[in-house]
Amino acid sequence: MENDTKGISRAFRAAFPKTIPIFADFWFSGFWFLGITYGIYMNASGFSFWYPMLMSLTIFAGSIEFVAVHMLLGAFHPMQAFAMTLMINARHLFYGISMLDRFKGTGWKKFYLIFGMCDESFSINYTAEIPEDVDRSWFMFFVTLLNHLYWFTGATLGGILGSLIHFNTEGLEFVMTAMFVVIFMEQWFKEKTHVSALLGLGVSLLCLLAFSSESFMIPAMLAILGVLTLLRNPLEKGKGKE
């Protein structure tokens, strides 16, 4: 039991420093900044702090939580909400495929790892060099849990502060666009080859031209999934040679 406790503590100490930039990197849209922004935005839209608090705890998908503000204010269209959620979060299909091997042997923690796999947690858990004496499953668990807590506490605090601070909230939703740009740039600089990124950009551009900006997202995601699945072995061999 003592060894298990030490192993869990060692995994937490290894994971925590990796998540600090996600928590407090204001320049690159840290989770606390984004969460507070989201909470204030919800409050300015007429919702009490309970909404961002519970939504950040149970949904944990920042982009769709911003979009959900408009959904909650509009008429109830469940199929539209489903389609919108699918379009915005379809990228998690690729995350899930990439993490199939890494989630093997994680036991009960796998369920939370799947639920809490956001962009930032995926990036850390996929690229981090975990020390040999650190349990991989506990490391990924704490990365996911800490990032979840950062978003949850930020959104809750923003919802509470929103009732005390009054200012023009126009443009706050743009922080999500900035976050995705930064995530793409970080992945670009970490990868030695950019074949996957260039394929994604090329396929997205073709779908944008073919389907228009309002309906290209799902075809682009499906096309990227198909292309990367077909080229998975050559891409993995190329990385192995490096």
Side-chain angles (χ1 to χ4, degrees):
M1 185 66 176
E2 184 179 353
N3 291 333
D4 291 342
T5 303
K6 288 183 178 179
I8 294 172
S9 176
R10 190 182 301 116
F12 178 82
R13 293 196 301 270
F16 177 65
K18 301 287 187 181
T19 67
I20 291 177
I22 308 302
F23 166 68
D25 195 339
F26 280 71
W27 180 257
F28 291 109
S29 301
F31 264 26
W32 241 45
F33 173 74
L34 284 171
I36 291 173
T37 302
Y38 166 65
I40 293 175
Y41 182 57
M42 283 287 286
N43 184 271
S45 299
F47 299 96
S48 69
F49 80 95
W50 289 100
Y51 281 84
M53 183 181 76
L54 293 177
M55 290 173 66
S56 63
L57 183 64
T58 58
I59 299 176
F60 190 38
S63 51
I64 195 61
E65 288 179 53
F66 273 89
V67 175
V69 177
H70 300 285
M71 294 182 184
L72 291 172
L73 292 173
F76 179 62
H77 295 293
M79 291 306 299
Q80 183 183 23
F82 173 79
M84 183 68 70
T85 303
L86 178 62
M87 286 191 293
I88 293 175
N89 290 326
R91 65 189 184 281
H92 288 83
L93 291 170
F94 307 102
Y95 297 168
I97 293 173
S98 300
M99 298 301 289
L100 284 175
D101 292 333
R102 286 172 171 78
F103 282 176
K104 288 181 179 179
T106 56
W108 61 267
K109 294 184 285 294
K110 178 187 290 187
F111 298 101
Y112 181 69
L113 291 173
I114 294 172
F115 162 76
M117 187 170 57
C118 61
D119 302 292
E120 293 75 11
S121 296
F122 165 77
S123 179
I124 295 173
N125 288 332
Y126 186 79
T127 61
E129 297 181 2
I130 304 173
E132 294 183 359
D133 61 340
V134 173
D135 184 274
R136 176 176 54 88
S137 65
W138 278 111
F139 175 88
M140 294 190 295
F141 174 82
F142 282 124
V143 166
T144 305
L145 178 64
L146 287 167
N147 287 339
H148 192 182
L149 289 176
Y150 300 155
W151 177 257
F152 167 72
T153 55
T156 303
L157 181 61
I160 295 173
L161 293 178
S163 60
L164 306 175
I165 302 174
H166 301 283
F167 61 94
N168 186 3
T169 60
E170 184 178 356
L172 279 179
E173 61 271 20
F174 182 74
V175 295
M176 294 308 301
T177 303
M179 185 185 73
F180 287 128
V181 171
V182 170
I183 291 171
F184 177 81
M185 292 174 61
E186 288 179 346
Q187 291 297 316
W188 177 276
F189 290 122
K190 285 179 181 177
E191 294 288 339
K192 293 182 180 180
T193 61
H194 308 300
V195 177
S196 298
L198 292 174
L199 284 173
L201 289 174
V203 171
S204 299
L205 179 60
L206 290 175
C207 290
L208 177 62
L209 295 174
F211 297 99
S212 80
S213 60
E214 295 181 355
S215 56
F216 85 102
M217 186 67 72
I218 291 180
M221 289 296 180
L222 292 175
I224 292 172
L225 178 61
V227 170
L228 293 182
T229 300
L230 291 173
L231 299 178
R232 180 179 180 182
N233 289 332
L235 290 174
E236 290 182 347
K237 289 180 181 179
K239 289 183 178 180
K241 292 180 180 179
E242 296 173 4

